[in-house]
Amino acid sequence: MDRLVKVDVKEVEILFMEGQKTTTNFTLTNLMHTMSVAVCLSTKNSSFFSFNNQFSIIPPLSSSTYTLFSQPSDQPPLTNPPDAITVKTTMLPLGKAHHDDLRRLFSKPGPHVFKDATLPISFTGPHVIQHLISSNTQMTDMDIWCNKAISGCFGDQLTVLLKSAVVSGKVGLVRTLIDHRGDVNDKDDKGRSLVSLAVEAGHVDVVNALISAGCEIDNTVDHVLHYAAAKNRVDLMDVLFRGYKNMDLIDSIDFNGRTPIHISAIHGHTESIKFCLSLGADPEVLDVNKCTPLHLAALGGHLSAVECLLEVSNYTKYALNGQGKTAFALAVENDRSNVYDPLHLGDALHRSARIGDVNGIKSCISEGANMNGKDQNGWTPLHRAAFKGKTECVRALISYGGDINGVDNNGYTPLHRAVEAGHVEAALVLIGHGAKANVKCLKGIGMGVALKSDCSKNHCCYRGSFVQPL
């Protein structure tokens, strides 16, 4: 005979409730026609589980119901493999025995004792799933436990748990809860979608799972690209843009009239700014206070963001916000001296070099201007002074560390520019301070360029050498 008793279930499910004692029942039936059967029930975790009747006797062809108790606990004792009820049996010819006799009978293993069944114990209910969600460790077989626990969940519990799993970033649990009809389009108390919650929490895998499951967003409340920009999460921004490509996310505005590029600028996130620009974002767009992204980047003193925005729009440097202030004015008000140069001092330094204002040059440098800052053509202040023939400015700029052999976008040095414009004295000052006369520009032109001088032979002599005329 294979077994003496039959069990009415293949697995015992017990509802787990945090801090409470719970129970579940199962039934054993004696398969013997003429003989009683003694039964012994046990589990591995005897401190957590107990039975109403660990040792019992079942008369022939009769059934007996047993109760499994779980002790109060803050968390379910999930193990791998799961705990199980072991059902041991033995024939009892006399049909009667005391409790101690049964204990002694089952304590001596041998052919008289049968192991009739092993019943896995599974925990059900929302408290189990919440434990899986809140667990800091990545527990193995988490999805299996979740699938079993779902049978004890009712009503809106799955949706509440889904929201919690989204925030926690447990993507496997998110997918399982969605598969079991957790409402993927549930909203929070602000009317925001689950995607908003996932983006705010920074879980790109969860965002992908929600988009794949058909989670819808509303541009008027779901400022998802703004949340991603605030975190400088270009990966999230890319997933959102691709997932909702039919929605104009890049130009969507929040309650302050700000687009994602505004938010990127506020936080100084250059990578996010570049991503927004690559998708066609307007670098000159205004928020409700008529602030451009440059205004906000300058207000925060974010140098790399300021430089990035200036590369794509020269106009915004002079744009006035709702209070009539430029980005530079905001930087000054908030003592953001690190952005003074690209916003204003660089312009002032170039202007002083152009008009020959030595005092202006000294003032700009003392205020923190970048000595070798370049304009849109790659010209430094020294290029500008050399081209204009402002010799005293050339001397001043060199004395403050101007790059004598620096090249512009066409590969020209300040000496090239002085020669090109025919300013002999400026060229000689540059050469006298170490400018390389044999440096070639990107176009391959060396210093054999003619100087427009008053020299009768149309060449310029310097220490026995001369610059050849064209």
Side-chain angles (χ1 to χ4, degrees), residues 115-137:
K115 187 177 181 180
D116 263 18
T118 301
L119 303 176
I121 301 172
S122 62
F123 295 92
T124 67
H127 289 197
V128 177
I129 300 176
Q130 189 58 56
H131 168 69
L132 296 173
I133 292 171
S134 60
S135 174
N136 292 326
T137 58

Side-chain angles (χ1 to χ4, degrees), residues 20 43-44 64 95 112 124 133 163 169 172 199 220 231 242 258 275 321 336 341 346 366 368 370 385 391 403 451:
Q20 297 184 37
T43 63
K44 292 180 181 178
S64 183
H112 65 286
T124 67
I133 292 171
K163 187 181 299 182
V199 173
T220 62
K231 293 178 173 294
R242 294 176 186 276
R258 291 170 178 166
F275 182 82
N321 66 4
R336 307 299 190 186
D341 181 73
S366 66
N370 182 359
T391 306
D403 187 359
L451 283 171

Side-chain angles (χ1 to χ4, degrees), residues 4 22 29 81 91 102 125 131 155 173 223 355 396 408 423 463:
L4 303 180
T22 56
T29 301
M91 289 182 285
L102 293 178
H131 168 69
L173 297 182
H223 307 303
I355 65 176
D408 61 17
H423 297 302
R463 295 183 183 176

Side-chain angles (χ1 to χ4, degrees), residues 37-276:
V37 172
V39 175
C40 172
L41 304 176
S42 64
T43 63
K44 292 180 181 178
N45 191 350
S46 58
S47 63
F48 187 82
F49 295 111
S50 60
F51 301 93
N52 64 327
N53 200 356
Q54 184 179 9
F55 298 99
S56 63
I57 299 173
I58 306 176
L61 297 179
S62 297
S63 298
S64 183
T65 298
Y66 298 85
T67 301
L68 175 69
F69 297 92
S70 70
Q71 299 303 313
S73 175
D74 292 335
Q75 60 185 44
L78 303 176
T79 59
N80 186 18
D83 205 341
I85 300 172
T86 300
V87 180
K88 293 181 180 180
T89 61
T90 187
M91 289 182 285
L92 199 64
L94 299 178
K96 295 180 180 180
H98 293 292
H99 184 275
D100 291 340
D101 294 332
L102 293 178
R103 184 185 297 276
R104 284 192 295 269
L105 185 63
F106 285 106
S107 66
K108 299 177 181 179
H112 65 286
V113 176
F114 296 87
K115 187 177 181 180
D116 263 18
T118 301
L119 303 176
I121 301 172
S122 62
F123 295 92
T124 67
H127 289 197
V128 177
I129 300 176
Q130 189 58 56
H131 168 69
L132 296 173
I133 292 171
S134 60
S135 174
N136 292 326
T137 58
Q138 191 63 37
M139 302 165 64
T140 57
D141 296 327
M142 183 177 289
D143 294 342
I144 296 175
W145 284 322
C146 182
N147 273 304
K148 293 182 181 298
I150 281 173
S151 63
C153 299
F154 305 96
D156 295 332
Q157 289 177 337
L158 288 179
T159 299
V160 173
L161 291 167
L162 174 59
K163 187 181 299 182
S164 182
V166 164
V167 173
S168 296
K170 300 294 177 64
V171 66
L173 297 182
V174 167
R175 293 193 180 103
T176 299
L177 291 166
I178 291 174
D179 290 343
H180 286 82
R181 299 185 180 180
D183 186 2
V184 75
N185 282 308
D186 184 54
K187 308 294 183 182
D188 68 2
D189 55 2
K190 297 178 181 178
R192 299 181 305 170
S193 70
L194 296 183
V195 168
S196 284
L197 303 184
V199 173
E200 281 195 317
H203 303 310
V204 66
D205 291 341
V206 174
V207 172
N208 265 318
L210 291 171
I211 292 175
S212 298
C215 185
E216 299 173 354
I217 62 172
D218 180 352
N219 256 353
T220 62
V221 291
D222 287 307
H223 307 303
V224 290
L225 216 60
H226 295 70
Y227 304 149
K231 293 178 173 294
N232 203 26
R233 289 289 299 275
V234 174
D235 57 338
L236 279 171
M237 297 175 77
D238 185 58
V239 166
L240 292 166
F241 182 76
R242 294 176 186 276
Y244 299 105
K245 56 186 175 182
N246 294 326
M247 302 182 72
D248 189 17
L249 294 183
I250 198 65
D251 293 323
S252 62
I253 58 173
D254 63 12
F255 303 115
N256 294 309
R258 291 170 178 166
T259 63
I261 197 170
H262 279 110
I263 304 302
S264 301
I266 287 173
H267 295 279
H269 294 327
T270 307
E271 294 84 356
S272 296
I273 291 173
K274 290 179 179 178
F275 182 82
C276 291

